[in-house]
Amino acid sequence: MPRWEQGSGERLRTAALQLFREHGFENTSVVEIARRARVTNRTFFRHFSDKREVLFADADDLRAALVDELFRAPHVADPLGVVVGVLSQHAWEALAPRRSLRERQAVIAANPELLERELIKQHVMALEFADALTRRGVDEGDARLAAGVGVQVFLTAYERWLDAAEGDEDLVAISGDLLATLRATTPTGPS
Amino acid sequence: MPRWEQGSGERLRTAALQLFREHGFENTSVVEIARRARVTNRTFFRHFSDKREVLFADADDLRAALVDELFRAPHVADPLGVVVGVLSQHAWEALAPRRSLRERQAVIAANPELLERELIKQHVMALEFADALTRRGVDEGDARLAAGVGVQVFLTAYERWLDAAEGDEDLVAISGDLLATLRATTPTGPS
């Protein structure tokens, strides 16, 4: 790869997010993204199969790494704790800067087709997590519950982290707080 | 409505599920559904806007009723417990026979477009639940967590109930069990 092409993936990501925000996802073409990033169209397609993938390729890589991490977790006696712990710890280390993730989120929220894709990917992630836990010997029903709920806890924490002020709390701490909230039963007596 | 048209909605549902299972969702037309149900096409369109709606119209009605129920819940001190309780209790009373729900589930699982729609509807349901809880005075963050997780707990219970043998456990009991499992912390010490 020629020296000037180093970091072209990152430049393409930045350019695409800028253009999606300026003109909308639908009104932005691959040609425009490549031009803004100062790379050729061919370079774009070496990194991404289409403009949608600019938003999802990182998440796919992260998901694969997380399933692997989950499968290698030292303990699975508390499957929900493991899912939330692995997801938040690993995501925290791998995530892009918060500002660009906020932009990504805004683009996805503004486009129903992208939101559908995001939801499908979350669904697949939960299925893969459940499968990894089952292969680790967790009962299948418990694995499904832990995976489905664990992904929800993480997504709620992620949303809260995106909304928080710069420098505020880390994602691992927020996730841990949410899990504790969830487990603190507040009995509701009759009125 | 003429007497012979009574129950035509139900007949259309049954006919559509049969045809979707026999020939696939994509290969079934509204004309065929109406013919199998022995009603006119016009009658079909008095009940449903398109063939996809045969699968989702009931769920939409149920969702609206659930949001209303949640908003009128006597206590919201334990938002997660309220979401799971209202969802399972109300769904349990309103749900169609298990056999036809199993068929519906199989049709949706076999078609990516339908699965996307189902996921979007679950997403919207969680958002509406969070909104209802917030209007009841629950902190917004707690409301989002309870709604997102509560819907997951219910869906896991629903799946388990669909898979269970005829006559086995009720949905409310399964949901309660899952919530208890979720809240039972099993601390994982160092190895």
Side-chain angles (χ1 to χ4, degrees):
Chain A
M1 193 184 284
R3 184 169 160 66
W4 63 271
E5 271 201 8
Q6 279 174 14
S8 54
E10 211 30 60
R11 287 217 307 282
L12 281 164
R13 260 185 211 91
T14 307
L17 280 175
Q18 280 173 0
L19 287 162
F20 294 162
R21 293 288 277 158
E22 286 167 24
H23 308 130
F25 175 79
E26 303 83 348
N27 305 319
T28 300
S29 70
V30 165
V31 174
E32 289 165 325
I33 296 170
R35 191 185 303 143
R36 171 85 54 111
R38 286 168 292 116
V39 303
T40 61
N41 296 349
R42 225 178 114 196
T43 298
F44 178 95
F45 289 113
R46 255 214 312 281
H47 287 279
F48 307 105
S49 58
D50 58 33
K51 65 177 178 173
R52 213 168 53 167
E53 276 311 296
V54 182
L55 294 167
F56 292 106
D58 276 0
D60 286 344
D61 292 347
L62 180 58
R63 198 178 76 219
L66 286 168
V67 169
D68 191 52
E69 196 83 10
L70 195 58
F71 187 65
R72 294 185 296 109
H75 308 278
V76 290
D78 172 19
L80 176 60
V82 172
V83 169
V84 173
V86 162
L87 243 172
S88 58
Q89 185 63 48
H90 200 92
W92 179 239
E93 286 160 12
L95 282 179
R98 183 149 56 172
R99 198 165 55 89
S100 85
L101 291 173
R102 277 183 189 143
E103 283 180 9
R104 173 182 183 275
Q105 202 76 351
V107 170
I108 290 174
N111 183 297
E113 183 214 331
L114 296 176
L115 179 60
E116 276 178 13
R117 192 173 175 88
E118 176 88 333
L119 291 172
I120 284 278
K121 283 179 180 277
Q122 290 167 5
H123 179 70
V124 170
M125 182 158 78
L127 292 178
E128 290 181 353
F129 280 11
D131 183 55
L133 288 172
T134 309
R135 283 187 291 134
R136 280 297 300 278
V138 175
D139 163 82
E140 199 184 323
D142 290 346
R144 280 196 208 172
L145 181 68
V149 170
V151 168
Q152 277 307 309
V153 171
F154 173 75
L155 291 173
T156 310
Y158 177 70
E159 218 174 72
R160 192 174 293 187
W161 174 72
L162 280 187
D163 288 347
E166 225 42 70
D168 234 29
E169 308 178 81
D170 73 35
L171 189 52
V172 181
I174 301 176
S175 302
D177 283 353
L178 293 189
L179 190 56
T181 302
L182 202 69
R183 283 175 160 167
T185 316
T186 314
T188 46
S191 58
Chain B
M1 195 184 285
R3 184 171 159 67
W4 64 270
E5 273 201 9
Q6 279 174 14
S8 54
E10 211 31 59
R11 286 219 307 283
L12 281 164
R13 259 186 212 90
T14 307
L17 279 177
Q18 280 172 1
L19 287 163
F20 293 162
R21 293 288 278 157
E22 286 166 25
H23 308 131
F25 175 79
E26 303 83 347
N27 305 319
T28 301
S29 69
V30 165
V31 174
E32 289 165 327
I33 296 170
R35 192 184 303 144
R36 171 84 55 110
R38 285 168 291 114
V39 302
T40 60
N41 295 350
R42 225 178 112 195
T43 299
F44 178 96
F45 288 114
R46 255 213 313 281
H47 287 279
F48 306 105
S49 58
D50 57 34
K51 64 177 179 173
R52 213 168 51 169
E53 275 312 295
V54 182
L55 295 166
F56 292 106
D58 276 0
D60 285 345
D61 291 349
L62 181 58
R63 198 179 75 220
L66 286 167
V67 170
D68 193 50
E69 197 83 9
L70 194 60
F71 187 65
R72 294 185 296 107
H75 308 275
V76 290
D78 171 19
L80 176 61
V82 172
V83 169
V84 173
V86 162
L87 243 172
S88 57
Q89 185 62 50
H90 200 92
W92 178 239
E93 287 159 12
L95 281 181
R98 185 152 53 173
R99 199 165 55 89
S100 85
L101 292 174
R102 276 183 190 142
E103 284 180 7
R104 172 183 184 274
Q105 202 76 351
V107 171
I108 290 174
N111 182 298
E113 184 212 333
L114 296 176
L115 180 60
E116 276 179 12
R117 195 176 174 87
E118 176 89 334
L119 292 173
I120 286 276
K121 283 181 182 277
Q122 291 167 4
H123 179 70
V124 169
M125 181 159 78
L127 292 178
E128 289 181 355
F129 280 11
D131 184 55
L133 289 172
T134 309
R135 283 186 293 134
R136 281 295 301 279
V138 175
D139 163 81
E140 200 186 322
D142 291 345
R144 280 196 208 172
L145 180 68
V149 170
V151 168
Q152 278 307 309
V153 171
F154 172 76
L155 291 173
T156 310
Y158 177 70
E159 218 174 74
R160 192 174 296 187
W161 174 72
L162 281 187
D163 288 345
E166 225 43 68
D168 232 29
E169 308 180 80
D170 72 35
L171 189 52
V172 181
I174 301 175
S175 303
D177 283 353
L178 292 190
L179 190 55
T181 303
L182 201 70
R183 282 174 161 168
T185 316
T186 315
T188 46
S191 57

